[in-house]
Amino acid sequence: MSNDSDGFEIERFQWVGKKVGFYGSIFIIALISVFPILWMLITSLKQPGNVVAFPVEYIPRDPTLENYRAAIEGAPFFRYMLNSAIVATGTAIVDVFLGALAGYALSRLRFRFKLPVLLLILGTAMLPFIARLIPLFSLARSWGLLNSYLGLIIPYAAFQLPFAVWIFQAYFKELPDSLEEAGLMDGLSRVGVLFRIILPVSAPAMATAAIIVFIYAWNEFLFALTFMTEDSMRTITVGIALYQGEFQYPWGTISAAVFMSVIPLILFMLFFQRKVVEGLTATGKA
Amino acid sequence: MAETAESSSRSPDTEGSGRQNRLQRYRDLQFSEEELAVILLTPVVSFLFAVSFYPIFDTIVGSLHTGYVLEMNPRQFVGLENYRNLFGEGPYLDQLLNGGGIWNALRVSLIYTFVSVPIELALGLGIALLLNRDFKGKYFAQAAILFPWAIPTVINARIWAWMFNGQYGVINDLLMRVGILETQFPFLAKPDTALIAMLFITIWKTSSFMALILLAGLQSIPDHLYEAARMDGASRLRQFRDITLPLLKPTLLVALIFRTLPAFQAFGLPFGLTGGGPSSATTTLVLFDHQLTFNRLNFGEGAATATLITLIAAAIAMIYVQTLYEPEVR
């Protein structure tokens, strides 16, 4: 072999090495990221007796759905998920509506005290949740909102509103002025322009805001734990966190319940990933 | 405002009279920009006042009273007594139930926040640099990497509690197979390892979130800067130090604030993982506050703790903004 081809070989070797290193590190990071969920799936498929075996079984022998049956019968997990879905959807609707209105005003209208209003709205995102818990709890109690969906939707909507406002005002700022001008020329009022021209083209921002708010509301724990004291009104996070077996802690059942509860999130990430990423980066870019 | 109803002949909407009527109604709603801004913002601002500012105010007032919330036991003004009890010796029973007190909770929260956030930032930057190029399967890799962030914290805590289980946990099994451990180790039953496990889990969960925010920042850096640097013969490391880092600074600031404040308010993770134990080793400030309020129904001291948390959170946010904000960077 000549020196030339040696050099070529080495370069080629380095190139392959770099590729392997790159894909290898991506693979390892991805594996570490999904391993816990994978482990829930593996645990949930084991025979109940084999869940607490040591050394640990990595591939379930005689896989069974017994743990899923126990989970569905042992606690109203589907009810919990329905509660979560209702609360999260309601919160997303409120925040998309209010966020779009405020985002429009803050990005496309000229008025006094604009910056202070924007800072005031964004500043509420920094207030600790625990410091709002007890006063809101007693308000909710006196208005009969404990153990009701609205009782969670109202605080969640307020907590996530700054992010929704931010997403909308960032989106509206990028729209061309000619959109409004055309509407105004056609004789629409400003309200007309907002409802007939701006809102119809803001579907991408609506989707982004809705998804970010939905995931927050689906995942929240502190308020859900405090405001929903009746078992039938619990959200899925609280339902799983408070699940107790009759005898020893039922890890097999819990694994099945956890896996069922994250299926919607898995699908969400696979189908709406682009939106999720957009939402995160929009809230992250100041 | 110049626009009037006269121009309706040019309007494209002439299909139906119902539509015409609707259009007419829109035209009747003529507001100036400022009026419309007030109309659009009033609901939002009053909503936030009611649900965000009023409760904070009420908590601060409540921290100066006892008998808060419980109606049979109406509020009584006690001045700073709640704060004194919180930081003072406290009754014997409190010590027994709690083992830690507020100083311990403060220490746990500060360690938790200021150990986890820098590591998350470094790992997140590494992952962002890896993802900042096109490759086959990027969509799935990104979805997988985002998983930890999407899983609810408290469910995540239950998952890891099972994986760290002292008898049957997969982590014990793996470490024994690799030869690091000889026999099972009760990670969550020892104060030091319980805290380390909690740090590990939160780092695992939020590094991907950091990565995404930083990735957006990386993508906004124009390519021609790197090209120019390459022409000048700058090494990869120099490019990173002199182009990437300075231009990433605003994004880093946002990522820091976005992570530090939630980390300082950690609740679901210790609640679901260890319940704050063993012997308060993982009791964060918010968990401490929650136990104070709901287990011992000490609403006054609970409100005092919440007030302190608010003050510290505000201080953290202000320090970050002061040190990292540069007006000339857009």
PDB file of all heavy atoms in Angstrom, chain A residues 182-211:
ATOM      1  N   ALA A 182     -54.984  46.508   5.334  1.00  0.00           N
ATOM      2  CA  ALA A 182     -55.957  46.047   4.343  1.00  0.00           C
ATOM      3  C   ALA A 182     -57.335  45.947   4.976  1.00  0.00           C
ATOM      4  O   ALA A 182     -58.337  46.367   4.385  1.00  0.00           O
ATOM      5  CB  ALA A 182     -55.523  44.698   3.784  1.00  0.00           C
ATOM      6  N   GLY A 183     -57.394  45.411   6.186  1.00  0.00           N
ATOM      7  CA  GLY A 183     -58.680  45.267   6.865  1.00  0.00           C
ATOM      8  C   GLY A 183     -59.310  46.617   7.155  1.00  0.00           C
ATOM      9  O   GLY A 183     -60.509  46.819   6.931  1.00  0.00           O
ATOM     10  N   LEU A 184     -58.478  47.543   7.641  1.00  0.00           N
ATOM     11  CA  LEU A 184     -59.010  48.864   7.980  1.00  0.00           C
ATOM     12  C   LEU A 184     -59.507  49.575   6.729  1.00  0.00           C
ATOM     13  O   LEU A 184     -60.548  50.242   6.757  1.00  0.00           O
ATOM     14  CB  LEU A 184     -57.932  49.695   8.682  1.00  0.00           C
ATOM     15  CG  LEU A 184     -57.516  49.201  10.063  1.00  0.00           C
ATOM     16  CD1 LEU A 184     -56.343  50.001  10.589  1.00  0.00           C
ATOM     17  CD2 LEU A 184     -58.682  49.270  11.045  1.00  0.00           C
ATOM     18  N   MET A 185     -58.753  49.399   5.618  1.00  0.00           N
ATOM     19  CA  MET A 185     -59.166  50.009   4.356  1.00  0.00           C
ATOM     20  C   MET A 185     -60.506  49.458   3.921  1.00  0.00           C
ATOM     21  O   MET A 185     -61.338  50.164   3.368  1.00  0.00           O
ATOM     22  CB  MET A 185     -58.151  49.679   3.254  1.00  0.00           C
ATOM     23  CG  MET A 185     -56.807  50.249   3.517  1.00  0.00           C
ATOM     24  SD  MET A 185     -56.734  51.916   2.956  1.00  0.00           S
ATOM     25  CE  MET A 185     -55.713  51.672   1.528  1.00  0.00           C
ATOM     26  N   ASP A 186     -60.719  48.150   4.173  1.00  0.00           N
ATOM     27  CA  ASP A 186     -61.980  47.540   3.783  1.00  0.00           C
ATOM     28  C   ASP A 186     -63.112  47.940   4.700  1.00  0.00           C
ATOM     29  O   ASP A 186     -64.224  47.427   4.574  1.00  0.00           O
ATOM     30  CB  ASP A 186     -61.844  46.008   3.794  1.00  0.00           C
ATOM     31  CG  ASP A 186     -61.207  45.524   2.517  1.00  0.00           C
ATOM     32  OD1 ASP A 186     -61.084  46.347   1.601  1.00  0.00           O
ATOM     33  OD2 ASP A 186     -60.825  44.346   2.450  1.00  0.00           O
ATOM     34  N   GLY A 187     -62.819  48.778   5.645  1.00  0.00           N
ATOM     35  CA  GLY A 187     -63.883  49.293   6.482  1.00  0.00           C
ATOM     36  C   GLY A 187     -64.128  48.497   7.746  1.00  0.00           C
ATOM     37  O   GLY A 187     -65.115  48.705   8.428  1.00  0.00           O
ATOM     38  N   LEU A 188     -63.236  47.571   8.064  1.00  0.00           N
ATOM     39  CA  LEU A 188     -63.385  46.865   9.327  1.00  0.00           C
ATOM     40  C   LEU A 188     -62.921  47.761  10.470  1.00  0.00           C
ATOM     41  O   LEU A 188     -62.005  48.572  10.298  1.00  0.00           O
ATOM     42  CB  LEU A 188     -62.544  45.593   9.333  1.00  0.00           C
ATOM     43  CG  LEU A 188     -63.035  44.417   8.490  1.00  0.00           C
ATOM     44  CD1 LEU A 188     -62.063  43.264   8.612  1.00  0.00           C
ATOM     45  CD2 LEU A 188     -64.415  43.985   8.949  1.00  0.00           C
ATOM     46  N   SER A 189     -63.547  47.612  11.620  1.00  0.00           N
ATOM     47  CA  SER A 189     -63.060  48.326  12.804  1.00  0.00           C
ATOM     48  C   SER A 189     -61.846  47.580  13.335  1.00  0.00           C
ATOM     49  O   SER A 189     -61.506  46.494  12.864  1.00  0.00           O
ATOM     50  CB  SER A 189     -64.141  48.362  13.864  1.00  0.00           C
ATOM     51  OG  SER A 189     -64.313  47.053  14.375  1.00  0.00           O
ATOM     52  N   ARG A 190     -61.204  48.123  14.370  1.00  0.00           N
ATOM     53  CA  ARG A 190     -60.060  47.420  14.965  1.00  0.00           C
ATOM     54  C   ARG A 190     -60.475  46.089  15.557  1.00  0.00           C
ATOM     55  O   ARG A 190     -59.767  45.102  15.463  1.00  0.00           O
ATOM     56  CB  ARG A 190     -59.413  48.290  16.038  1.00  0.00           C
ATOM     57  CG  ARG A 190     -58.755  49.513  15.480  1.00  0.00           C
ATOM     58  CD  ARG A 190     -57.454  49.833  16.179  1.00  0.00           C
ATOM     59  NE  ARG A 190     -56.708  50.768  15.350  1.00  0.00           N
ATOM     60  CZ  ARG A 190     -55.660  50.425  14.640  1.00  0.00           C
ATOM     61  NH1 ARG A 190     -55.202  49.200  14.676  1.00  0.00           N
ATOM     62  NH2 ARG A 190     -55.052  51.310  13.901  1.00  0.00           N
ATOM     63  N   VAL A 191     -61.660  46.077  16.175  1.00  0.00           N
ATOM     64  CA  VAL A 191     -62.156  44.811  16.724  1.00  0.00           C
ATOM     65  C   VAL A 191     -62.376  43.821  15.584  1.00  0.00           C
ATOM     66  O   VAL A 191     -62.024  42.646  15.692  1.00  0.00           O
ATOM     67  CB  VAL A 191     -63.473  45.040  17.495  1.00  0.00           C
ATOM     68  CG1 VAL A 191     -63.982  43.727  18.066  1.00  0.00           C
ATOM     69  CG2 VAL A 191     -63.251  46.048  18.611  1.00  0.00           C
ATOM     70  N   GLY A 192     -62.927  44.327  14.488  1.00  0.00           N
ATOM     71  CA  GLY A 192     -63.149  43.472  13.332  1.00  0.00           C
ATOM     72  C   GLY A 192     -61.849  42.916  12.798  1.00  0.00           C
ATOM     73  O   GLY A 192     -61.751  41.734  12.472  1.00  0.00           O
ATOM     74  N   VAL A 193     -60.838  43.779  12.726  1.00  0.00           N
ATOM     75  CA  VAL A 193     -59.531  43.333  12.250  1.00  0.00           C
ATOM     76  C   VAL A 193     -59.010  42.218  13.144  1.00  0.00           C
ATOM     77  O   VAL A 193     -58.541  41.175  12.674  1.00  0.00           O
ATOM     78  CB  VAL A 193     -58.527  44.516  12.234  1.00  0.00           C
ATOM     79  CG1 VAL A 193     -57.113  44.002  12.060  1.00  0.00           C
ATOM     80  CG2 VAL A 193     -58.883  45.488  11.132  1.00  0.00           C
ATOM     81  N   LEU A 194     -59.147  42.408  14.443  1.00  0.00           N
ATOM     82  CA  LEU A 194     -58.641  41.399  15.380  1.00  0.00           C
ATOM     83  C   LEU A 194     -59.346  40.059  15.163  1.00  0.00           C
ATOM     84  O   LEU A 194     -58.698  39.020  15.021  1.00  0.00           O
ATOM     85  CB  LEU A 194     -58.832  41.888  16.824  1.00  0.00           C
ATOM     86  CG  LEU A 194     -58.565  40.862  17.921  1.00  0.00           C
ATOM     87  CD1 LEU A 194     -57.141  40.337  17.837  1.00  0.00           C
ATOM     88  CD2 LEU A 194     -58.815  41.468  19.288  1.00  0.00           C
ATOM     89  N   PHE A 195     -60.700  40.103  15.117  1.00  0.00           N
ATOM     90  CA  PHE A 195     -61.426  38.835  15.087  1.00  0.00           C
ATOM     91  C   PHE A 195     -61.484  38.213  13.703  1.00  0.00           C
ATOM     92  O   PHE A 195     -61.577  37.000  13.577  1.00  0.00           O
ATOM     93  CB  PHE A 195     -62.852  39.023  15.632  1.00  0.00           C
ATOM     94  CG  PHE A 195     -62.885  39.017  17.130  1.00  0.00           C
ATOM     95  CD1 PHE A 195     -62.811  40.202  17.841  1.00  0.00           C
ATOM     96  CD2 PHE A 195     -62.942  37.815  17.825  1.00  0.00           C
ATOM     97  CE1 PHE A 195     -62.806  40.193  19.224  1.00  0.00           C
ATOM     98  CE2 PHE A 195     -62.941  37.805  19.206  1.00  0.00           C
ATOM     99  CZ  PHE A 195     -62.871  38.999  19.908  1.00  0.00           C
ATOM    100  N   ARG A 196     -61.445  39.052  12.643  1.00  0.00           N
ATOM    101  CA  ARG A 196     -61.641  38.487  11.307  1.00  0.00           C
ATOM    102  C   ARG A 196     -60.330  38.307  10.556  1.00  0.00           C
ATOM    103  O   ARG A 196     -60.286  37.557   9.598  1.00  0.00           O
ATOM    104  CB  ARG A 196     -62.571  39.380  10.502  1.00  0.00           C
ATOM    105  CG  ARG A 196     -63.799  39.733  11.317  1.00  0.00           C
ATOM    106  CD  ARG A 196     -65.065  39.564  10.614  1.00  0.00           C
ATOM    107  NE  ARG A 196     -64.977  39.583   9.183  1.00  0.00           N
ATOM    108  CZ  ARG A 196     -65.939  39.115   8.409  1.00  0.00           C
ATOM    109  NH1 ARG A 196     -67.004  38.610   8.957  1.00  0.00           N
ATOM    110  NH2 ARG A 196     -65.821  39.169   7.102  1.00  0.00           N
ATOM    111  N   ILE A 197     -59.295  39.013  10.938  1.00  0.00           N
ATOM    112  CA  ILE A 197     -58.050  38.899  10.183  1.00  0.00           C
ATOM    113  C   ILE A 197     -56.921  38.326  11.037  1.00  0.00           C
ATOM    114  O   ILE A 197     -56.302  37.331  10.671  1.00  0.00           O
ATOM    115  CB  ILE A 197     -57.632  40.271   9.606  1.00  0.00           C
ATOM    116  CG1 ILE A 197     -58.701  40.730   8.613  1.00  0.00           C
ATOM    117  CG2 ILE A 197     -56.267  40.172   8.936  1.00  0.00           C
ATOM    118  CD1 ILE A 197     -58.429  42.063   8.008  1.00  0.00           C
ATOM    119  N   ILE A 198     -56.685  38.923  12.201  1.00  0.00           N
ATOM    120  CA  ILE A 198     -55.520  38.506  13.001  1.00  0.00           C
ATOM    121  C   ILE A 198     -55.731  37.116  13.617  1.00  0.00           C
ATOM    122  O   ILE A 198     -54.898  36.220  13.451  1.00  0.00           O
ATOM    123  CB  ILE A 198     -55.220  39.538  14.106  1.00  0.00           C
ATOM    124  CG1 ILE A 198     -54.949  40.910  13.501  1.00  0.00           C
ATOM    125  CG2 ILE A 198     -54.064  39.074  14.963  1.00  0.00           C
ATOM    126  CD1 ILE A 198     -53.623  41.040  12.806  1.00  0.00           C
ATOM    127  N   LEU A 199     -56.853  36.917  14.302  1.00  0.00           N
ATOM    128  CA  LEU A 199     -57.050  35.626  14.972  1.00  0.00           C
ATOM    129  C   LEU A 199     -57.066  34.454  13.985  1.00  0.00           C
ATOM    130  O   LEU A 199     -56.452  33.426  14.263  1.00  0.00           O
ATOM    131  CB  LEU A 199     -58.315  35.642  15.832  1.00  0.00           C
ATOM    132  CG  LEU A 199     -58.219  36.500  17.097  1.00  0.00           C
ATOM    133  CD1 LEU A 199     -59.455  36.309  17.975  1.00  0.00           C
ATOM    134  CD2 LEU A 199     -56.965  36.175  17.905  1.00  0.00           C
ATOM    135  N   PRO A 200     -57.735  34.595  12.834  1.00  0.00           N
ATOM    136  CA  PRO A 200     -57.711  33.448  11.911  1.00  0.00           C
ATOM    137  C   PRO A 200     -56.307  33.048  11.445  1.00  0.00           C
ATOM    138  O   PRO A 200     -56.079  31.882  11.170  1.00  0.00           O
ATOM    139  CB  PRO A 200     -58.557  33.929  10.732  1.00  0.00           C
ATOM    140  CG  PRO A 200     -59.475  34.930  11.323  1.00  0.00           C
ATOM    141  CD  PRO A 200     -58.700  35.612  12.398  1.00  0.00           C
ATOM    142  N   VAL A 201     -55.376  33.999  11.365  1.00  0.00           N
ATOM    143  CA  VAL A 201     -54.034  33.593  10.916  1.00  0.00           C
ATOM    144  C   VAL A 201     -53.127  33.206  12.082  1.00  0.00           C
ATOM    145  O   VAL A 201     -51.958  32.921  11.876  1.00  0.00           O
ATOM    146  CB  VAL A 201     -53.326  34.687  10.073  1.00  0.00           C
ATOM    147  CG1 VAL A 201     -54.137  34.992   8.827  1.00  0.00           C
ATOM    148  CG2 VAL A 201     -53.053  35.924  10.894  1.00  0.00           C
ATOM    149  N   SER A 202     -53.663  33.214  13.310  1.00  0.00           N
ATOM    150  CA  SER A 202     -52.771  32.940  14.437  1.00  0.00           C
ATOM    151  C   SER A 202     -52.881  31.502  14.922  1.00  0.00           C
ATOM    152  O   SER A 202     -52.455  31.185  16.030  1.00  0.00           O
ATOM    153  CB  SER A 202     -53.050  33.916  15.584  1.00  0.00           C
ATOM    154  OG  SER A 202     -54.330  33.679  16.087  1.00  0.00           O
ATOM    155  N   ALA A 203     -53.417  30.613  14.074  1.00  0.00           N
ATOM    156  CA  ALA A 203     -53.537  29.211  14.473  1.00  0.00           C
ATOM    157  C   ALA A 203     -52.221  28.597  14.952  1.00  0.00           C
ATOM    158  O   ALA A 203     -52.220  27.869  15.946  1.00  0.00           O
ATOM    159  CB  ALA A 203     -54.131  28.397  13.329  1.00  0.00           C
ATOM    160  N   PRO A 204     -51.086  28.876  14.296  1.00  0.00           N
ATOM    161  CA  PRO A 204     -49.840  28.273  14.788  1.00  0.00           C
ATOM    162  C   PRO A 204     -49.520  28.679  16.226  1.00  0.00           C
ATOM    163  O   PRO A 204     -49.152  27.835  17.047  1.00  0.00           O
ATOM    164  CB  PRO A 204     -48.771  28.817  13.829  1.00  0.00           C
ATOM    165  CG  PRO A 204     -49.510  29.205  12.604  1.00  0.00           C
ATOM    166  CD  PRO A 204     -50.869  29.633  13.040  1.00  0.00           C
ATOM    167  N   ALA A 205     -49.701  29.972  16.531  1.00  0.00           N
ATOM    168  CA  ALA A 205     -49.425  30.420  17.898  1.00  0.00           C
ATOM    169  C   ALA A 205     -50.422  29.808  18.872  1.00  0.00           C
ATOM    170  O   ALA A 205     -50.074  29.449  19.999  1.00  0.00           O
ATOM    171  CB  ALA A 205     -49.469  31.943  17.975  1.00  0.00           C
ATOM    172  N   MET A 206     -51.684  29.673  18.431  1.00  0.00           N
ATOM    173  CA  MET A 206     -52.691  29.061  19.302  1.00  0.00           C
ATOM    174  C   MET A 206     -52.302  27.632  19.641  1.00  0.00           C
ATOM    175  O   MET A 206     -52.396  27.210  20.794  1.00  0.00           O
ATOM    176  CB  MET A 206     -54.060  29.057  18.610  1.00  0.00           C
ATOM    177  CG  MET A 206     -54.715  30.412  18.548  1.00  0.00           C
ATOM    178  SD  MET A 206     -56.344  30.265  17.789  1.00  0.00           S
ATOM    179  CE  MET A 206     -56.845  31.987  17.853  1.00  0.00           C
ATOM    180  N   ALA A 207     -51.859  26.876  18.629  1.00  0.00           N
ATOM    181  CA  ALA A 207     -51.480  25.485  18.875  1.00  0.00           C
ATOM    182  C   ALA A 207     -50.304  25.419  19.850  1.00  0.00           C
ATOM    183  O   ALA A 207     -50.318  24.639  20.811  1.00  0.00           O
ATOM    184  CB  ALA A 207     -51.124  24.809  17.561  1.00  0.00           C
ATOM    185  N   THR A 208     -49.313  26.266  19.619  1.00  0.00           N
ATOM    186  CA  THR A 208     -48.142  26.255  20.492  1.00  0.00           C
ATOM    187  C   THR A 208     -48.534  26.566  21.931  1.00  0.00           C
ATOM    188  O   THR A 208     -48.177  25.835  22.860  1.00  0.00           O
ATOM    189  CB  THR A 208     -47.121  27.302  20.003  1.00  0.00           C
ATOM    190  OG1 THR A 208     -46.877  27.073  18.622  1.00  0.00           O
ATOM    191  CG2 THR A 208     -45.827  27.196  20.771  1.00  0.00           C
ATOM    192  N   ALA A 209     -49.293  27.649  22.111  1.00  0.00           N
ATOM    193  CA  ALA A 209     -49.684  28.044  23.470  1.00  0.00           C
ATOM    194  C   ALA A 209     -50.536  26.951  24.105  1.00  0.00           C
ATOM    195  O   ALA A 209     -50.329  26.576  25.265  1.00  0.00           O
ATOM    196  CB  ALA A 209     -50.451  29.360  23.420  1.00  0.00           C
ATOM    197  N   ALA A 210     -51.485  26.399  23.333  1.00  0.00           N
ATOM    198  CA  ALA A 210     -52.371  25.390  23.887  1.00  0.00           C
ATOM    199  C   ALA A 210     -51.588  24.174  24.367  1.00  0.00           C
ATOM    200  O   ALA A 210     -51.854  23.634  25.447  1.00  0.00           O
ATOM    201  CB  ALA A 210     -53.405  24.968  22.836  1.00  0.00           C
ATOM    202  N   ILE A 211     -50.595  23.750  23.587  1.00  0.00           N
ATOM    203  CA  ILE A 211     -49.846  22.542  23.950  1.00  0.00           C
ATOM    204  C   ILE A 211     -49.015  22.770  25.213  1.00  0.00           C
ATOM    205  O   ILE A 211     -49.006  21.938  26.129  1.00  0.00           O
ATOM    206  CB  ILE A 211     -48.977  22.084  22.757  1.00  0.00           C
ATOM    207  CG1 ILE A 211     -49.887  21.465  21.694  1.00  0.00           C
ATOM    208  CG2 ILE A 211     -47.931  21.077  23.196  1.00  0.00           C
ATOM    209  CD1 ILE A 211     -49.210  21.216  20.379  1.00  0.00           C
TER     210      ILE A 211
END
